[in-house]
Amino acid sequence: MKFGGTSVGKPERMHQVSQLITRDAEPTIVVLSALSGTTNALVEISNSLAQGDRTGAKQKIDKLEAHYRAFVLDLLKEEHTRAKANAVITEHFEFLNIILRISFSEALNKDILAQGELMSTKLFSTYLEEKGIDHMLLPALEFMSVDSNEEPQLGSIKIKLSQLLQQNSDKKLFITQGYICRNAKGEVDNLKRGGSDYTASLVAAAINASVCEIWTDIDGMHNNDPRVVEKTNAIKQLSFDEAAELAYFGAKILHPTCIWPAQLENVPVKLLNTMQPDAAGTVIMKEAGTVGVKAVAAKDGIIAIKIKSSRMLLAYGFLRKVFEVFEKYHTSIDMITTSEVAVSVTIDSDTSLKQIVKELEPFGTVDVEKDQSIVSIVGNEIAQTDHVLQRLFTAISEVPVTMVSYGGSPHNISLLVPSAHKTRMLQLLNSGLFGL
Ligand code: ADP
Ligand code: ASP
Ligand code: MG
């Protein structure tokens, strides 16, 4: 069972979580995120330090500490558990205050970002202790790891986690940190923003769990982005493939790559609402349940790169040369379209954009368009659904679409639009495809 930031962000929510995790007798591993807002605050502290603004960083650290002190006071009622939780807060804020005096590095940044999950799990464990709920805190840094390509090492996670569970076979309830891990150098690292979902799926796959429950602040995966569009509905069932497409192409409810571990071990994933625990939510499993379009999602911050070259473009070997440039800079491509004279691709990171463009220039004219969004239409066998393209393009006829990708997967149609048109596009699709 994984609980996200809002599910642990208030003392009364922690109380609710304690009830949900003790509802049945099945042994359970509970994965917790940081309290809502904490990881954002830690990112800001890190940014201030990276810019050499120690005063700004100190102010932010003090503000965050005050929040935690008040949280402890509200969460716990007994003297000894309050003292214990305050000692935890002191330990972590002492660390944050010490780093104000050390020179900033990427490794230090990762240590800063890890504080949120370390604190939330220790506070929750103290809360369970006060309530007399038997449990054990499992340190994620002892079993969760990524390799030198930042890919989770499922084999090693399996071995280490099962050892830890065997050593504590008398326990039934385990609490661990989402998001954090160790990297190939043995340093503290993380699974990228929203990574607690990834932890949950990896843990579920590692122990071959009966189910992986992702508890959040909404009753499942909706057919459209509820932050952008007014009327949306929860989807009952999605296949792993459909859910993976939605997560990767912007449905924030799931971390972009968190589906594969559950899919690999065929562990069903349920998306559930902590605030409405009896709502059906969404189940993600092998079978899609129904045929047709199920949802749309959008991913922002996309950069389109067009390489235009006459004739030689489709000569064999040309695309390989183009793709090798992206491989060299560890930049993955999301969408591709080709014509006789040009190839267009999209990427979601500008980290190596300058070098990539420089190395592509010998192949032809290179155009770069920033501030684009990919809007994906996801479903089961959508290519075979009657009139799907007609309905799609009729709905969005007024939006300037810059790229279309269709046929790559039977579950996805992706369109590229300038980000300024994304909201309108999602609204038009909501009425055109879902009648909402
Ligand atoms: P948590 O902190 O529990 O991990 P997140 O904020 O990461 O929660 O994810 C839940 C949020 O995802 C919802 O509150 C909702 O605003 C957003 N969201 C975006 N797209 C979707 C979608 N298609 N279905 C449901 N929620 C979505
Ligand atoms: N706390 C981390 C974040 O905010 C991980 C997570 O919540 O999933 O990104
Ligand atoms: Mg999340």
Side-chain angles (χ1 to χ4, degrees):
M1 299 173 83
K2 175 259 173 176
F3 293 87
T6 40
S7 303
V8 289
K10 287 189 180 149
E12 62 267 30
R13 296 269 155 75
M14 280 205 177
H15 171 69
Q16 250 173 317
V17 172
S18 74
Q19 290 181 323
L20 289 170
I21 61 176
T22 48
R23 274 211 295 201
D24 61 43
E26 205 180 356
T28 305
I29 300 185
V30 177
V31 173
L32 298 187
S33 295
L35 311 194
S36 50
T38 297
T39 311
N40 285 347
L42 294 169
V43 168
E44 283 178 22
I45 290 166
S46 230
N47 287 346
S48 296
L49 283 175
Q51 289 156 14
D53 176 13
R54 283 170 202 224
T55 320
K58 174 71 181 147
Q59 277 170 357
K60 286 168 190 145
I61 292 170
D62 289 347
K63 191 173 159 212
L64 192 64
E65 179 169 354
H67 177 72
Y68 275 84
R69 297 285 174 202
F71 191 93
V72 165
L73 216 56
D74 204 356
L75 178 73
L76 301 160
K77 301 293 167 245
E78 289 170 18
E79 268 319 304
H80 77 282
T81 43
R82 272 192 187 165
K84 197 169 172 182
N86 271 316
V88 167
I89 305 303
T90 301
E91 177 200 332
H92 288 277
F93 281 89
E94 259 173 16
F95 168 77
L96 288 173
N97 278 296
I98 287 169
I99 54 146
L100 284 173
R101 285 176 257 133
I102 316 177
S103 59
F104 187 79
S105 67
E106 200 35 50
L108 199 59
N109 174 39
K110 304 281 177 62
D111 271 321
I112 296 171
L113 297 184
Q115 301 307 307
E117 272 70 11
L118 291 170
M119 286 195 286
S120 68
T121 45
K122 288 182 194 172
L123 290 182
F124 185 64
S125 169
T126 314
Y127 177 68
L128 291 182
E129 193 183 314
E130 187 176 277
K131 294 188 71 171
I133 299 173
D134 189 37
H135 69 283
M136 149 121 207
L137 201 55
L138 282 181
L141 296 177
E142 285 184 20
F143 64 86
M144 192 56 67
S145 58
V146 293
D147 64 18
S148 53
N149 292 318
E150 303 184 329
E151 289 295 330
Q153 295 177 300
L154 187 54
S156 146
I157 295 167
K158 267 185 194 170
I159 294 167
K160 288 186 182 154
L161 185 55
S162 66
Q163 274 169 357
L164 281 171
L165 293 176
Q166 262 165 25
Q167 285 160 14
N168 299 284
S169 54
D170 55 325
K171 299 281 179 197
K172 284 200 142 177
L173 185 61
F174 299 88
I175 315 295
T176 193
Q177 299 84 22
Y179 180 59
I180 62 173
C181 63
R182 287 203 185 271
N183 63 24
K185 292 187 228 159
E187 299 160 343
V188 172
D189 209 320
N190 60 65
L191 300 172
K192 308 272 157 52
R193 295 305 306 273
S196 299
D197 302 330
Y198 210 179
T199 304
S201 173
L202 287 160
V203 166
I207 60 164
N208 218 323
S210 56
V211 61
C212 172
E213 296 180 351
I214 309 268
W215 290 82
T216 182
D217 57 2
I218 188 164
D219 60 339
M221 178 74 79
H222 279 221
N223 70 300
N224 204 330
D225 192 329
R227 297 165 300 175
V228 177
V229 171
E230 234 170 67
K231 269 187 166 169
T232 58
N233 294 329
I235 302 163
K236 273 206 181 75
Q237 186 175 333
L238 287 168
S239 69
F240 289 119
D241 287 336
E242 290 171 323
E245 297 272 5
L246 284 170
Y248 189 75
F249 287 109
K252 195 208 166 203
I253 186 170
L254 285 174
H255 175 280
T257 57
C258 76
I259 290 296
W260 73 261
Q263 183 168 21
L264 191 74
E265 297 295 336
N266 200 16
V267 179
V269 177
K270 283 190 180 166
L271 307 181
L272 296 158
N273 188 348
T274 310
M275 272 62 82
Q276 250 179 281
D278 296 319
T282 301
V283 59
I284 301 165
M285 56 202 283
K286 211 166 164 189
E287 298 80 22
T290 52
V291 168
V293 174
K294 293 210 186 135
V296 297
K299 183 173 171 181
D300 297 326
I302 302 294
I303 303 161
I305 304 173
K306 183 187 278 184
I307 305 116
K308 216 169 147 191
S309 157
S310 57
R311 301 269 57 179
M312 68 176 284
L313 183 73
L314 292 182
Y316 49 80
F318 180 79
L319 288 178
R320 179 179 53 77
K321 287 184 209 138
V322 168
F323 292 149
E324 269 173 359
V325 175
F326 292 88
E327 185 186 356
K328 181 172 167 191
Y329 291 100
H330 299 270
T331 303
S332 67
I333 292 171
D334 286 333
M335 278 175 80
I336 312 165
T337 57
T338 60
S339 80
E340 164 67 1
V341 293
V343 54
S344 292
V345 302
T346 70
I347 57 175
D348 63 6
S349 152
D350 63 2
T351 315
S352 307
L353 182 62
K354 268 196 191 135
Q355 296 97 307
I356 289 173
V357 169
K358 200 164 163 233
E359 295 211 17
L360 289 173
E361 269 163 356
F363 303 140
T365 318
V366 181
D367 287 324
V368 174
E369 289 282 350
K370 291 191 178 176
D371 301 320
Q372 304 287 305
S373 296
I374 296 177
V375 173
S376 290
I377 292 93
V378 174
N380 181 29
E381 301 298 343
I382 40 180
Q384 288 165 30
T385 315
D386 281 349
H387 313 300
V388 68
L389 288 183
Q390 186 190 344
R391 276 164 55 215
L392 170 61
F393 286 109
T394 308
I396 58 162
S397 59
E398 64 186 69
V399 182
V401 174
T402 43
M403 263 171 92
V404 179
S405 172
Y406 175 70
S409 134
H411 313 296
N412 178 317
I413 303 172
S414 286
L415 307 166
L416 191 72
V417 291
S419 296
H421 292 273
K422 179 194 80 173
T423 299
R424 184 85 190 114
M425 176 95 158
L426 290 181
Q427 286 164 345
L428 290 169
L429 290 172
N430 219 37
S431 50
L433 294 180
F434 304 103
L436 292 170

